[in-house]
């Protein structure tokens, strides 16, 4: 396939540096601007339910899988043949009853059933400060528990990807085994200016963020200096900041103008 160029009017450049570009627009349109087989790693956290409302009548989320498929098609094109896709996908609560939906497992199962992707490993991120549970069920009726863990799925089209687990030994702590897949990762110095700026706010961009150290973990694990890291659901730019700090090329995008405006300010602050 030919190299793609940034011509889609649905994608707007927000910031550009020597190492990367931040855009705002549709994630599929963004991915279509990237060259074939260019990225070593796509690390991202898509909307857990997609545009569909989570319902007890559809716990496997057929609509979510249909929504996710176009992104996965483009990600497969953009990744190198031995590149990695790492996605945060969590179960959610149904909107109508206190039951769980498993649209994340259904989507991953469907993807693996096609035979062109492999699940290399899943990671469990201890994330109690950033997750929220339904207040009615947890704190009012007291019939369910708070959320504490989300899942990251490490996928590739070949089991033989370039990786060295020793690169991330420094991320482990006394809650984990030296090379375990349970991640106890929180805010770092890279998050503090942003946290000070939005103290007390609960905007969408604030609610959807994840600490810079999370994409940093996978960037260190799965890429070398100068290789391209992509995030089509970049939120407030944590992946871009992690890539900048480790000398990786990067291309990040988010649909939210609010989120990308915050991401731009964070990237500008790092470059000063």
């Amino acid at each position: 396939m030919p190299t793609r160029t940034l011509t889609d009017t649905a994608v707007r450049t927000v910031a550009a540096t020597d190492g990367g570009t931040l855009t705002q627009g549709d994630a599929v349109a963004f991915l279509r601007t990237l060259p074939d087989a260019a990225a070593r790693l796509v690390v991202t956290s898509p909307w857990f339910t997609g545009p569909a409302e989570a319902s007890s009548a559809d716990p496997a989320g057929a609509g979510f899988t249909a929504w996710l498929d176009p992104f996965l098609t483009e990600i497969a094109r953009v990744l190198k043949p031995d590149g990695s896709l790492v996605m945060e996908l969590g179960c959610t609560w149904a909107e109508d009853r206190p039951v769980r939906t498993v649209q994340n497992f259904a989507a991953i199962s469907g993807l693996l059933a096609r035979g062109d992707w492999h699940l290399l490993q899943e990671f469990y991120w201890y994330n109690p400060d950033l997750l929220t549970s339904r207040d009615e069920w947890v704190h009012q009726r007291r019939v369910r528990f708070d959320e504490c863990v989300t899942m990251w799925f490490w996928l590739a089209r070949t089991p033989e990807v370039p990786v060295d687990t020793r690169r991330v030994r420094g991320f482990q702590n006394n809650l984990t085994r030296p090379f375990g897949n349970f991640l106890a990762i929180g805010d770092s110095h890279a998050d503090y200016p942003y946290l000070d700026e939005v103290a007390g706010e609960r905007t969408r961009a604030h609610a959807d963020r994840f600490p810079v150290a999370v994409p940093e973990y996978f960037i260190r694990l799965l890429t070398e200096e100068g290789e391209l890291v992509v995030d089509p659901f970049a939120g407030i730019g944590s992946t871009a900041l992690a890539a900048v700090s480790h000398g990786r090329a990067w291309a990040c995008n988010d649909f939210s103008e609010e989120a990308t405006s915050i991401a731009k300010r964070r990237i500008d602050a790092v470059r000063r």
Side-chain angles (χ1 to χ4, degrees):
M1 296 178 67
T3 296
R4 312 298 179 96
T5 57
L6 187 57
T7 58
D8 195 311
T9 56
V11 180
R12 177 178 66 90
T13 299
V14 175
T17 73
D18 292 340
T21 303
L22 171 68
T23 59
Q24 184 253 317
D26 176 74
V28 172
F30 156 72
L31 288 165
R32 287 173 178 164
T33 70
L34 302 177
D36 297 352
R40 172 63 64 193
L41 171 65
V42 176
V43 54
T44 194
S45 179
W47 194 358
F48 280 9
T49 62
E53 182 177 282
S55 169
S56 62
D58 182 24
F64 174 77
T65 298
W67 172 76
L68 194 63
D69 274 349
F71 304 111
L72 296 173
T73 297
E74 286 301 317
I75 287 169
R77 180 188 62 78
V78 167
L79 276 176
K80 294 179 180 296
D82 58 354
S84 293
L85 165 61
V86 180
M87 288 192 297
E88 182 190 21
L89 290 178
C91 300
T92 62
W93 291 105
E95 293 294 328
D96 53 332
R97 301 172 69 186
V99 297
R100 299 290 271 167
T101 65
V102 292
Q103 76 297 331
N104 54 339
F105 295 122
I108 294 295
S109 178
L111 186 65
L112 298 179
R114 300 173 196 172
D116 52 353
W117 286 90
H118 302 274
L119 176 61
L120 303 190
Q121 194 160 16
E122 64 275 16
F123 294 81
Y124 301 88
W125 176 30
Y126 181 60
N127 182 25
D129 292 333
L130 298 180
L131 287 171
T132 57
S133 302
R134 292 290 291 269
D135 190 67
E136 174 191 356
W137 301 329
V138 175
H139 301 293
Q140 296 176 16
R141 294 171 53 191
R142 302 184 186 278
V143 295
R144 298 294 183 269
F145 293 91
D146 268 324
E147 298 289 303
C148 293
V149 175
T150 57
M151 295 183 67
W152 289 79
F153 294 90
W154 174 22
L155 300 140
R157 287 170 295 164
T158 172
E160 306 302 326
V161 303
V163 61
D164 185 343
T165 60
R166 293 172 295 183
R167 297 171 182 165
V168 293
R169 189 182 185 101
F171 278 82
Q172 309 303 334
N173 60 36
N174 59 2
L175 294 176
T176 70
R177 297 183 60 169
F179 298 109
N181 66 335
F182 178 73
L183 306 179
I185 298 175
D187 296 318
S188 66
H189 69 280
D191 299 286
Y192 294 154
Y194 167 71
L195 294 173
D196 293 341
E197 177 184 338
V198 299
E201 294 184 9
R202 190 63 177 171
T203 61
R204 176 192 158 187
H206 187 229
D208 290 354
R209 76 177 185 89
F210 52 84
V212 172
V214 175
E216 181 184 0
Y217 178 91
F218 294 110
I219 286 170
R220 284 179 51 172
L221 178 67
L222 297 168
T223 69
E224 300 280 358
E225 188 171 350
E227 291 184 318
L228 178 63
V229 177
V230 173
D231 188 347
F233 301 95
I236 61 167
S238 295
T239 298
L241 294 178
V244 168
S245 66
H246 288 280
R248 272 54 165 180
W250 56 275
C252 294
N253 173 83
D254 198 85
F255 185 77
S256 166
E257 184 175 355
E258 175 193 15
T260 52
S261 66
I262 295 173
K264 181 181 185 303
R265 293 200 298 273
R266 298 178 80 201
I267 293 166
D268 289 344
V270 168
R271 296 169 61 203
R272 291 192 191 108

